[in-house]
Amino acid sequence: MPDVTASIAPADVRLWVSLDVHKLSIVAATLPPSGGRPAVQRLETTEKAIRRFIDRLGGPEGLAVCYEAGPGGFALWRLLSGMGVACDVIAPSLVPVRAGDRVKTDRRDAKKLVRLFRAGELTRVQAPTPETEGLRDLLRCRDDLRCARTAARHRVMKQLLRHGHVFREGKKAWTKVHRAWVARQRLEDPLSQLALEQMLIHLEGIERQLDALDTQLQQIATGERWAGQVDILVRFRGISTLTALGLIAEIGDFARFSHPRELASWLGITPSEYSSGEQQHRGRITKAGNRHARRLLVETSWHYRHAPRRPVSGPQPDERAWQAQVRLHHRYRHLTEHGKRPTVVNIAIARELTGFLWAAMTNQPDRKEELAA
């Protein structure tokens, strides 16, 4: 579906509209280009009510509509775009907040949003395609299952620890040896033993779900829709098929960023800054933007602390991916030898890796030194 937002210039807008969207109702504020006091009205969150509202405003031509991203997702954006309405989905965390404002109502939020929209002070969110959103939902479902498996494993181990059962046959948990040890454990109290058995059944069910989902994701990765993008990413060290799918689902179209610095900023891996006059202060990374993609990228970056090598099996690195291995490992050693903490170094590696990935996914020409984000 085409994004009609870019098809209307501010000079062609005849009416600015903001929508404060909730589960059952929408508070709409309208403001003409000449300014004045916004007019506010309430409507239901149904397709019929929304279409009637657009008709009352004189049709989609000349309308500029916005609403904040939220639990409702992009269904409203797709409905309005299908009607030919220029609609922006706004990043709520980047909406300016006036100091000392302690009154919040739906009407005030809608009025404030339409004024800021008309002034050009809002940051829009790139709406994903239905296919990308579906892939994102599936991978986030897998991430939830992974977290549930970790929590279930912790419950089992804490139950055994409370009853004095400590694993001493190895250093790593949930290996084959450790699983065999867990299966052999028997608690003296029958009720405690029953609780342990139920937790193990719960854990086994989660692991079966994960195995089945991983198999499906492997098939999706080899499908015609995603195979080309996955093949580019898996050639980079530390990026598996699941990681590649996760980056594609969360970032979407890499080409929407004109420079890797924009992508790094969107991922929240750029340092915060508070500078005034001749004083410059840089702090921790902003952690703005997409936390799922940031986690995947940071986990991938740890692989570059090892010396470059070509894998025995699996996808072989192309020229760009090999340049990334050599350059980023050299960068890691250089920073650690100068006393930088490993966690700080890894973020720097992640920023530079972002440049390599952006160049590969946007078909930039190969260079000996890739753009550093």
Side-chain angles (χ1 to χ4, degrees):
M1 179 180 298
D3 185 355
V4 299
T5 304
S7 64
I8 184 169
D12 299 329
V13 176
R14 64 176 177 85
L15 193 63
W16 300 91
V17 184
S18 70
L19 305 176
D20 190 56
V21 182
H22 297 278
K23 180 180 179 180
L24 300 176
S25 65
I26 297 175
V27 176
T30 59
L31 186 67
S34 58
R37 297 174 61 87
V40 181
Q41 56 183 298
R42 183 181 293 270
L43 58 143
E44 296 180 349
T45 55
T46 62
E47 181 177 346
K48 182 178 179 181
I50 293 169
R51 289 184 179 275
R52 188 185 304 121
F53 170 69
I54 296 299
D55 291 339
R56 286 201 304 267
L57 297 180
E61 186 177 354
L63 290 183
V65 182
C66 76
Y67 71 94
E68 291 182 341
F74 298 96
L76 179 57
W77 177 86
R78 294 193 177 101
L79 173 60
L80 292 171
S81 298
M83 297 169 59
V85 178
C87 180
D88 280 350
V89 183
I90 303 302
S93 60
L94 301 179
V95 174
V97 179
R98 186 170 57 188
D101 191 356
R102 294 293 184 269
V103 179
K104 182 186 183 304
T105 64
D106 295 343
R107 293 175 63 88
R108 287 171 66 96
D109 287 347
K111 290 179 179 180
K112 180 181 73 172
L113 197 64
V114 74
R115 291 193 184 103
L116 292 171
F117 189 38
R118 175 175 171 269
E121 297 296 326
L122 299 177
T123 303
R124 64 188 291 263
V125 174
Q126 179 73 27
T129 64
E131 287 179 316
T132 303
E133 189 174 21
L135 181 63
R136 182 183 300 176
D137 289 342
L138 189 60
L139 285 161
R140 289 186 180 181
C141 172
R142 186 195 181 278
D143 193 47
D144 291 339
L145 287 173
R146 181 184 60 83
C147 293
R149 180 183 63 182
T150 301
R153 286 176 172 180
H154 287 171
R155 284 192 290 269
V156 169
M157 295 307 298
K158 298 304 182 287
Q159 171 83 345
L160 292 172
L161 181 61
R162 284 196 302 272
H163 291 269
H165 294 246
V166 180
F167 178 64
R168 306 180 189 277
E169 301 173 15
K171 295 183 179 180
K172 293 185 177 181
W174 302 107
T175 60
K176 290 183 178 180
V177 175
H178 179 261
R179 287 176 179 274
W181 176 84
V182 171
R184 293 195 302 269
Q185 302 310 300
R186 297 292 182 272
L187 304 182
E188 295 181 1
D189 183 75
L191 297 181
S192 297
Q193 176 63 27
L194 179 61
L196 177 62
E197 291 172 357
Q198 292 300 316
M199 285 188 284
L200 288 173
I201 292 172
H202 175 60
L203 174 58
E204 184 181 355
I206 294 175
E207 290 179 335
R208 282 201 303 268
Q209 279 185 279
L210 269 173
D211 291 341
L213 187 53
D214 287 348
T215 301
Q216 292 175 326
L217 286 170
Q218 291 289 341
Q219 295 174 354
I220 292 171
T222 58
E224 183 180 355
R225 177 64 179 86
W226 309 108
Q229 298 177 66
V230 170
D231 183 64
I232 293 173
L233 290 176
V234 296
R235 296 183 182 277
F236 286 85
R237 188 176 202 173
I239 298 184
S240 64
T241 301
L242 291 177
T243 302
L245 282 175
L247 291 172
I248 293 168
E250 299 297 340
I251 297 174
D253 184 11
F254 282 71
R256 65 191 175 99
F257 301 99
S258 60
H259 195 277
R261 290 193 185 94
E262 294 182 5
L263 177 56
S265 178
W266 182 83
L267 291 168
I269 55 176
T270 54
S272 57
E273 184 172 352
Y274 184 83
S275 300
S276 179
E278 298 179 356
Q279 295 183 348
Q280 293 185 353
H281 301 280
R282 291 192 174 184
R284 298 179 178 180
I285 59 174
T286 62
K287 292 187 178 181
N290 193 296
R291 64 182 180 87
H292 299 280
R294 181 170 60 251
R295 176 183 64 82
L296 292 173
L297 189 66
V298 170
E299 289 179 354
T300 297
S301 302
W302 285 111
H303 291 79
Y304 291 90
R305 68 186 188 273
H306 304 296
R309 64 177 179 82
R310 298 186 181 273
V312 177
S313 60
Q316 295 297 313
D318 54 16
E319 182 179 354
R320 194 191 304 274
W322 183 251
Q323 289 174 1
Q325 282 202 46
V326 174
R327 178 177 172 83
L328 297 183
H329 175 67
H330 175 76
R331 181 75 169 159
Y332 186 92
R333 289 186 57 186
H334 174 77
L335 292 175
T336 52
E337 288 172 358
H338 283 74
K340 297 292 184 180
R341 289 184 289 115
T343 51
V344 175
V345 174
N346 191 60
I347 293 297
I349 298 302
R351 278 198 297 272
E352 195 155 349
L353 177 61
T354 301
F356 281 97
L357 298 181
W358 176 86
M361 294 297 287
T362 55
N363 297 320
Q364 299 295 317
D366 288 342
R367 296 188 300 178
K368 291 186 178 180
E369 292 189 2
E370 294 291 340
L371 294 172

